[in-house]
Amino acid sequence: MQIIRVALDVPVNTIFDYVVPNAITPQVGVRVQVPFGRKMVIGIILEVVTHSSFSKEKLKTVKYIFNDIPALPESLLDLFKFCSEYYQYPLGGVVMHALPTRLRTSRPFIEKPQMKSQFCITNKGKLVDSSVISKRSLVKLRLLALFKESRTIHLSEIKQISAGAVKVLKEFLDVGWVVEFSPKLKIENDVPLILREEQATVVNEIAKELKQFNTWLLYGITGSGKTEIYMRLIALQLLEGRQTLVLIPEINLTPQLEAVFRARFPTTSIISIHSGLSPSERTKGWLQALYGTAKIILGTRLSVFTPISNLGLIIVDEEQDNSFKQQSGLCYSARDLAVFRAKYTNIPVILGSATPSLESYYNAIKNRYRMLRLYSRAADNASLPVIQCIDTRVVRVREGLSDSLIASLEKRIKLKQQSLIFINRRGFAPVLMCKSCTWTATCSRCASRLVVHLKDKNLCCHYCGYKKQIPSSCPECGDQDIVPFGQGTQRIESALKVRFPDARILRIDHDSMRRKAAWRKILEEIHGQRVDILVGTQILAKGHNFPNLGLVGVLNSDASLYSTDFRSAENLFSQLIQVAGRAGRASIAGDVLIQTKFPNHPLYQALRQHDYENLARMILAERRVANFPPYVYQALLRAEAPKLSTALNFLSHVMSLADPGKNIEMFDPVPAQLARLKGMDRAHLLIQSASRMELQKFLAVWRIKLTKISTRKIRWSLDIDPVEF
Ligand code: ADP
Ligand code: ZN
Ligand code: ZN
C-alpha cells in the first residue's frame, strides 16, 4: 500500500496519512488535495511510506495530486520540520505560512513562468571547450557555437535550429553557460571596483570554502564596502549557475539594493520578495526561484522560506535588525533560519553588520561562527564621522534643540550640505498632557498613550489605529492648558521652521515611508539636493547613502539607556552607529552631535570611539552576571484575554501543569510591557534555561498539555528566543 504523509494547515501538531492508488507514483514536496473532515483541503506531501499506524479502513484516499509546479526541494522541507520543532508551531501551519496564498487554493497553477525571449552566454559558457561535448550532440554543438559568436540570441532563433534546441537551451541555463537577457534592463557600465586589501581578504576567505556550510560573521564598519563583497561572491555563484538568497530588513531597502545588483548583473534575473507584493506577483517570483530561473532572490524575512532549486549562498545583511524576527503567529527569526537552511543545504551563509547582534558576536567568540573584519571605509576620502555629545545639563535647550546644535545646523546650511535630525523613537511621540493635573490622553482600547498629530488635529493610537479629535480642555479638571508633551518629529519640524525659515525641511514619518512611490520621491528630493534638513526616526538610519550629508543630530536617545528592556542599550548603539554612518560617506567630513544628559555613559563613550567591540564585551559581561541571553535561552508564553485577570489566571494554571525539572527556570506571570492591545489584555510568562536542548524538550511536552486546555476566551502563543516583551 502506498501511503503519503501530508502537512495540512490545521492547528494540530501532526501530519496526516492518506492512501494513494497504486497507479500513481507520489513524490515528496508536491501539493495535494485531500478530504479533511467534511472539507477538501490543500496540503504538501512530506513523506511517502508503505505503512500507517492507522488501520486501512480508517484511512481516506487522496483526491488529487498536483503536477502544475515542481516539487519543493527536500532541504526546504527539512527547514520546515526544523522550524516547526524549534518554534513549537504546527508543521502544517509552517508549510502553509511559507506557501503563497495562490498556491493554497485548489485551482491548479497553469501559467508557467514565461521564458524571457533573449539569452546570452556567460563567462563560464565562453570557457567551455566544445570538444567535451559528444560529436553526436549536434544541436548542443551548434547552439554553443552560436552563443559564442553572438551577444544575444532570441528564443525564436533557437527554436529554428531544431525541435530539441529549447531543451538544450534549458540544459545550458541549468549549468550556467547561458543566462536570460532582458532587453528592458538598462545596462549601466558598472565595472566592479578594485577591491581594497581587507575586502579582498574577506572575499578570498569565503571563496575558498564556497561549497560547504559555514556561518561567516562579516563585521565591517558602516561604509566599509560589504555590498561589493556580496556582489563578488554572488558573481562566483552565477558562474556556477547557482542561486543566491539575500535577506534584508526593510521593504524600502529592496529597490535600492535591487538597483545596485541590476547594474552589476544586467543579464541576470533578479527578483525581490516582500510583503508589499500582490499575491500573484509573489507567486510568480516564488516560482521563478523554484524553477531556478531567478538567480538572485532578494527579500525580507518571509523570503527565507522561498523554494530555491539550486541555492549556493545565503546573505543576511544588517543581521542585527529586529525586523528579521516575526512578532506574532509563527515567531521565527529569519536570520536564525537562514543559518539552519544553509546547514541543511551545505552552503555558506554570511551575516553582515556594522554592529553584530550580541548573539552572533558571542557565537563568533565561541568559534561557532567565523568572524571576518573590515576596519575602514571603502570609498576614497571617506572617513568616519566625529561623534560628540552635547551636555544638555549645561547648554541651553529650546523646543528640544540645543544652541550648539542650532549653530552647527547653521554652518552646514551655509556650506550647502544636508543635515539629518534623528529622533529616537522610544518616547519620541508627543502625548497630550494637562499642565495642571498631569492627565494624559490614553487609548480606550489599549493601555498606550495617544500620539498628537497636529497637522490632522487629532490623537492617534500607534498600536491599534484608534483616532479621536483633540479635546479643547482637560477631561479630568477642565483646564484648557493642555499641551503636546515630548519631542515628536512634527514638533521638531515646526521648531526648525521657525529657526530656519528659508531652509527646505523634510520630515519623514512612518506613513510617508510605507508608500513606496512617496519614498522614491523622498530619495529623489534628497539626492537632488532639494532638502537642507531631514527630520525623522530610525527608519532613516538604515542602509541609505546620502553623499552630501554633513551633520547628524541625535535627540532623545537617553530614554533607551535606562529602559526596562535589557536589549535596549544594544539596539540604541546599533541604531546610533547606523545613523552616524550616514554622515561622512563621500568627501565631506561628517559630524554627529548627540544631545544627552549623560555624556559619560559608557555607551556614548564607546560610540565616540566607534568601538563596538569594547561595548559588546561589556554588555556581555553584564548579561552573564544577570543570566540573560546569550548565556541563557528564553521562551515566552504569551496570553491575551478581554480581561487581564483571565490571562494571568490562565498562565498560572498552565504553570502549575508544567514539570520543569531543575535546569529550567520559570518566572511568574506578569502583564506585558504593553498591557493592553486592540481591546485585549496581554500577559506573559518567561521560561529560560542554560541548555537549549532541555528547554526544547520541556516546551514540547508542555505544549501538548497546553493544546488540551479549553481556551475559549484566551489566545496564547509561544515565542522562542523573544526579542520584545
Ligand atoms: P557598507 O554596506 O559596508 O556600509 P557599502 O557597501 O554601502 O558599505 O559601501 C560604501 C561605499 O564604498 C559605496 O559607495 C561603495 O561604492 C564604495 N566602495 C566599496 N568598495 C569600494 C572599493 N573597493 N573602492 C572604492 N569604493 C568602494
Ligand atoms: Zn489603541
Ligand atoms: Zn487636567
Side-chain angles (χ1 to χ4, degrees), residues 8 41 93 100 116 131-132 145 148 190 248 265 339 373 426 436-437 454 495 499 561 589 641 653 673:
L8 298 177
V41 295
K116 295 224 182 82
S131 64
V132 299
K148 280 189 175 175
D190 175 43
I248 50 165
F265 307 113
V339 173
R373 300 283 313 265
R426 240 168 248 284
S436 37
C437 77
L454 283 178
R499 195 65 193 70
L561 294 180
H653 175 59
Q673 191 94 286

Side-chain angles (χ1 to χ4, degrees), residues 434 436-439 474 476-479:
C434 169
S436 37
C437 77
T438 70
W439 165 89
C474 171
E476 286 288 315
C477 72
D479 199 316

